[in-house]
Amino acid sequence: MPLVSMRQLLDEAAKGGYGVGAFNVNDMEQIQAIMAAAKETNSPVIIQASRGARSFAQDRFLFHLILAAAELYPEIPIAMHQDHGNSFETCKSAIDLGYTSVMMDGSLKEDGKTPASFEENVAVTKRVVDFAHERGVTVEGEIGVLGGVEDGHGAGGTGLEHVTDPDQAVEFAEKTGVDALAIAIGTSHGAYKFTKKPDGSVLKMDVLIAIHKRLPNTHLVMHGSSSVPKDLQDIINKYGGKLKETWGVPVEEIQLGIRNGVRKVNVDTDNRLAMTGAIRKVLWETPEKFDPRDYLKPAREAMQKVVAQRMTQFGQAGHAGDYKAVSIAEIAKGYKNGSLSTRPLVAAK
Ligand code: 13P
């Protein structure tokens, strides 16, 4: 199957009432792990690359690895997504390369650190939406500011400093016409999200539910959704690592989000933890080994296990064969003739 539009993938997820994991990649082994998990669970999938990943792997290397995935797994719908684009130019470069979806994170200024004003966010996001939709490419925007830092991008903090205001979310969706909306409800990127076991009140799920009620047709996105499992932390620390005790987002909270309009769930840290733990174990137990395949293969398998588990928990498992890819050119026509409306349905308060 060719790469599919993320809009199509999320529209189908909304119909089926499930969420789709968006997994970050930097290299071949991570792409292979995701695809093996997608095949194992028969799942559609979103593969995403941050600016950091694109520069680490080199744009064309990374993009062609994804094309190889699409070629080798024709039965799996794959959307290729730019994670946290910091400017119109970053999003344009991804679209020019062939990404089928971009995130314009206008919640921060172009430095990727300083919170932007609402007006600045609307202006840059709308510019990306106009350019992207003409080409059939999906756009995710962000309103409110997430916590933490990922690949050098982020305002830091706990994620509770700039929680999304539901009224602003409605105005933002109306003014920009984004397909998907990332909201800040207390999640943050990275391993150090919470300093004690979350008790179900740490995330502002009431805010998420309020936004979904007002914007029932806008696909909501949960960033910072790694659960940071204790067993993965323990493996790293057992084999010489030095992670401090930490807690991530409980899967049940994500599932509550999915029941309330969350269609895209971003996960990176859990996969990093799984791979690093597997690599540490091999190097610790067999220090005489030096063939990278001896530790990359277990690392890939460890990541596959986490991804397959998340695909099942998010509900996307079993849905790969539900639909055929609509070409990006057809999607572009849909935006133009209004059949893929960019005006969100706004419900009364
Ligand atoms: P985690 O750090 O929780 O995996 O979040 C990743 C993410 O949101 C990527 O945009």
Side-chain angles (χ1 to χ4, degrees):
M1 201 181 291
L3 294 177
V4 307
S5 139
M6 189 171 86
R7 170 69 187 264
Q8 186 190 3
L9 210 134
L10 298 184
D11 283 353
E12 291 289 343
K15 271 191 237 160
Y18 58 89
V20 183
F23 303 102
N24 288 77
V25 295
N26 302 279
D27 61 32
M28 182 181 76
E29 287 76 14
Q30 292 178 313
I31 295 167
Q32 291 173 331
I34 294 168
M35 293 316 298
K39 188 178 169 68
E40 181 191 329
T41 60
N42 192 29
S43 298
V45 70
I46 301 165
I47 298 183
Q48 60 184 10
S50 65
R51 274 188 299 143
R54 286 175 61 188
S55 81
F56 168 79
Q58 211 284 342
D59 254 347
R60 299 202 76 76
F61 271 116
L62 200 58
F63 186 66
H64 282 270
L65 286 169
I66 312 281
L67 289 186
E71 206 176 294
L72 288 168
Y73 296 86
E75 72 283 18
I76 304 288
I78 308 171
M80 179 65 202
H81 176 78
Q82 160 80 58
D83 191 22
H84 290 287
N86 64 322
S87 64
F88 174 82
E89 286 69 30
T90 298
C91 294
K92 180 179 181 301
S93 70
I95 294 167
D96 288 347
L97 198 57
Y99 282 49
T100 58
S101 179
V102 293
M103 176 188 193
M104 177 61 235
D105 179 2
S107 72
L108 299 175
K109 289 180 187 280
E110 199 170 328
D111 67 6
K113 291 180 173 55
T114 317
S117 70
F118 180 75
E119 291 71 26
E120 287 170 318
N121 190 359
V122 167
V124 69
T125 306
K126 175 82 176 77
R127 192 172 165 216
V128 171
V129 167
D130 289 344
F131 183 83
H133 283 181
E134 217 178 300
R135 291 156 181 81
V137 172
T138 312
V139 181
E140 173 186 340
E142 176 170 325
I143 185 77
V145 182
L146 291 155
V149 178
E150 188 198 24
D151 277 359
H153 182 103
T158 62
L160 286 167
E161 290 87 348
H162 303 277
V163 169
T164 306
D165 166 10
D167 287 332
Q168 261 199 356
V170 171
E171 193 182 338
F172 182 80
E174 284 188 305
K175 287 190 162 154
T176 58
V178 288
D179 303 277
L181 186 60
I183 55 171
I185 52 165
T187 56
S188 54
H189 293 121
Y192 298 104
K193 299 184 197 299
F194 307 117
T195 49
K196 58 181 181 16
K197 196 168 190 296
D199 60 3
S201 64
V202 287
L203 293 182
K204 302 277 172 212
M205 296 310 282
D206 51 329
V207 171
L208 185 148
I209 291 167
I211 295 171
H212 178 53
K213 280 207 175 113
R214 301 287 312 282
L215 292 171
N217 284 4
T218 301
H219 304 304
L220 300 182
V221 183
M222 247 174 109
H223 280 248
S225 296
S226 276
S227 301
V228 196
K230 172 110 174 45
D231 57 332
L232 296 182
Q233 296 179 45
D234 288 348
I235 294 173
I236 290 184
N237 287 339
K238 181 172 175 193
Y239 298 107
K242 281 198 165 59
L243 290 178
K244 285 180 281 177
E245 195 169 41
T246 180
W247 283 268
V249 179
V251 169
E252 304 76 54
E253 296 283 301
I254 299 168
Q255 289 168 332
L256 174 62
I258 292 170
R259 288 197 295 279
N260 288 282
V262 170
R263 297 292 158 237
K264 175 172 181 274
V265 186
N266 283 17
V267 175
D268 185 4
T269 298
D270 284 353
N271 294 326
R272 294 176 172 195
L273 293 171
M275 291 186 90
T276 299
I279 291 169
R280 278 193 171 279
K281 183 171 190 293
V282 172
L283 297 181
W284 183 273
E285 287 180 341
T286 47
E288 70 282 4
K289 288 197 167 161
F290 58 88
D291 181 340
R293 289 170 297 186
D294 287 336
Y295 52 85
L296 288 177
K297 194 163 174 284
R300 192 170 59 188
E301 285 163 1
M303 176 162 161
Q304 177 184 340
K305 200 168 150 210
V306 173
V307 173
Q309 194 183 27
R310 294 290 174 269
M311 286 170 159
T312 305
Q313 290 164 329
F314 300 162
Q316 73 208 79
H319 289 286
D322 289 359
Y323 49 95
K324 294 258 167 300
V326 174
S327 75
I328 296 298
E330 278 303 310
I331 295 279
K333 275 191 213 156
Y335 284 124
K336 202 163 176 202
N337 67 25
S339 63
L340 277 180
S341 175
T342 57
R343 293 269 73 85
L345 181 67
V346 179
K349 266 198 222 184

